[in-house]
Amino acid sequence: MSDLARAEQWMRLALEEARSAAAADEVPVGAVVVRDNQAIASAHDRKMELRDPTAHAELLALRQAADRLGDWRLDGCEIFVTLEPCAMCAGAILLARIEAVYFGADNVKFGAAGTRIDLFGDHGWNHRVRVVRGMLADECGRLLTDYFRAKRNAERD
Amino acid sequence: MSDLARAEQWMRLALEEARSAAAADEVPVGAVVVRDNQAIASAHDRKMELRDPTAHAELLALRQAADRLGDWRLDGCEIFVTLEPCAMCAGAILLARIEAVYFGADNVKFGAAGTRIDLFGDHGWNHRVRVVRGMLADECGRLLTDYFRAKRNAERD
């Protein structure tokens, strides 16, 4: 399997997480942490369920991965997320020493990986993260568009 | 009591949290969330203990406050933290709709409230946070300096 096909396979797992979020009436964003070609954590947004403003897919997946590895340093790990990380999540990815971030849809309002601000740019942090943007972007974005359209329509009923 | 004296009182509580962190061999940073002139959450860094890269004082205090209020929105809340928030924590403060951040020492390496970057500046987010910097800064900073000096000396022994 090519590296791209392998990476897309992880993004498809993140998409499955995002679909679970939509089914639970959470914002459909999913994230998967991968090390040595194995998924070691996967999560979706649970802000409403947990009543926790920090319960974004990425933050939950990072915490799950650290718990599994027994180490706050996620050396050698990559994260796949269906939506461009916000500032909180980009910051957490840096703190956890993640090697690479693959994301799907651009986050037009809150994107912190280049769209609104770029926390992964050259700020002189003590760690650099490789960023791959736009992976399965249409599919990732469509889930979000459909979710918010359905919410708006429900509010009108 | 003047507003300043009242605010300093909360920062002193955050300093107590920071001292508990140092005693537990964690980076001495403490945070307190206040609403209606009552402390509803307080925490210190627990990254080593919890093996969690996201276990900064602010993030833990925000989650604790949301849990206590039963709502991810921390409307009407202020946070007092002994060190300028990093990008993750500044992002979380924005997401939680905190009204104001009071911080002590500047975070020279990772400060995201003006020192390295300014996430609370005009980025067109959907929420604005009022920032008060430098409260009891010397005392807050000294705790950190002493902690890192002791660590360096211990490494030399």
Side-chain angles (χ1 to χ4, degrees):
Chain A
M1 205 187 319
S2 72
D3 284 352
L4 178 63
R6 213 188 307 271
E8 283 189 357
Q9 183 188 5
W10 299 124
M11 191 60 88
R12 292 211 175 280
L13 199 55
L15 270 164
E16 275 179 42
E17 280 285 348
R19 282 189 198 97
S20 309
D25 207 19
E26 299 273 359
V27 178
V29 180
V32 173
V33 176
V34 173
R35 185 154 97 161
D36 297 334
N37 210 31
Q38 279 202 320
I40 60 166
S42 68
H44 56 74
D45 272 40
R46 295 172 70 193
K47 186 171 79 167
M48 307 310 264
E49 176 199 350
L50 300 178
R51 299 174 183 189
D52 177 350
T54 75
H56 282 189
E58 302 95 307
L59 210 85
L60 295 175
L62 292 171
R63 291 176 53 205
Q64 198 185 109
D67 191 52
R68 173 135 178 214
L69 297 177
D71 194 343
W72 66 265
R73 280 175 181 269
L74 301 183
D75 288 334
C77 291
E78 301 182 320
I79 191 165
F80 294 78
V81 53
T82 59
L83 179 67
E84 180 182 357
C86 72
M88 174 186 74
C89 291
I93 286 165
L94 283 158
L95 290 170
R97 312 282 204 270
I98 289 282
E99 275 188 9
V101 182
Y102 294 74
F103 72 84
D106 284 353
N107 188 337
V108 179
K109 284 189 181 167
F110 306 109
T115 296
R116 295 299 306 272
I117 57 172
D118 186 7
L119 283 178
F120 298 121
D122 186 15
H123 296 287
W125 309 133
N126 58 346
H127 178 68
R128 287 304 293 265
V129 177
R130 190 163 54 86
V131 177
V132 180
R133 64 189 305 149
M135 175 167 280
L136 307 183
D138 288 351
E139 202 169 334
C140 292
R142 205 175 314 124
L143 264 181
L144 285 153
T145 315
D146 290 352
Y147 172 81
F148 286 113
R149 184 183 299 128
K151 269 203 112 54
R152 277 196 303 275
N153 289 340
E155 275 165 21
R156 259 186 234 128
D157 288 347
Chain B
M1 206 186 320
S2 74
D3 284 354
L4 178 64
R6 211 187 308 272
E8 284 189 356
Q9 181 188 9
W10 299 123
M11 190 60 88
R12 292 212 175 277
L13 198 56
L15 269 164
E16 274 179 41
E17 280 286 349
R19 282 190 197 98
S20 309
D25 208 19
E26 301 273 358
V27 178
V29 181
V32 173
V33 177
V34 172
R35 186 155 96 159
D36 297 334
N37 210 29
Q38 281 203 317
I40 60 166
S42 69
H44 57 74
D45 272 40
R46 295 172 70 193
K47 186 171 81 167
M48 308 310 266
E49 177 199 348
L50 301 179
R51 299 173 182 192
D52 178 348
T54 74
H56 282 189
E58 303 94 307
L59 211 85
L60 296 174
L62 293 171
R63 291 176 53 206
Q64 198 185 109
D67 191 53
R68 172 133 180 216
L69 296 178
D71 193 343
W72 65 264
R73 279 175 182 270
L74 301 183
D75 289 334
C77 291
E78 301 183 318
I79 192 166
F80 293 78
V81 52
T82 59
L83 179 67
E84 180 183 357
C86 73
M88 175 185 74
C89 292
I93 286 165
L94 283 158
L95 289 170
R97 313 281 203 271
I98 289 283
E99 275 188 10
V101 182
Y102 294 75
F103 72 82
D106 284 355
N107 188 337
V108 179
K109 284 189 178 165
F110 306 109
T115 296
R116 295 301 304 272
I117 56 173
D118 187 7
L119 283 176
F120 299 121
D122 186 16
H123 297 286
W125 310 134
N126 59 345
H127 178 68
R128 287 304 294 265
V129 177
R130 189 163 53 86
V131 178
V132 180
R133 64 188 306 149
M135 175 167 279
L136 306 183
D138 288 349
E139 201 170 336
C140 292
R142 205 175 314 125
L143 263 182
L144 285 153
T145 314
D146 291 350
Y147 172 80
F148 286 114
R149 184 182 298 129
K151 269 203 112 52
R152 277 197 304 276
N153 289 341
E155 275 165 20
R156 260 186 233 129
D157 288 344

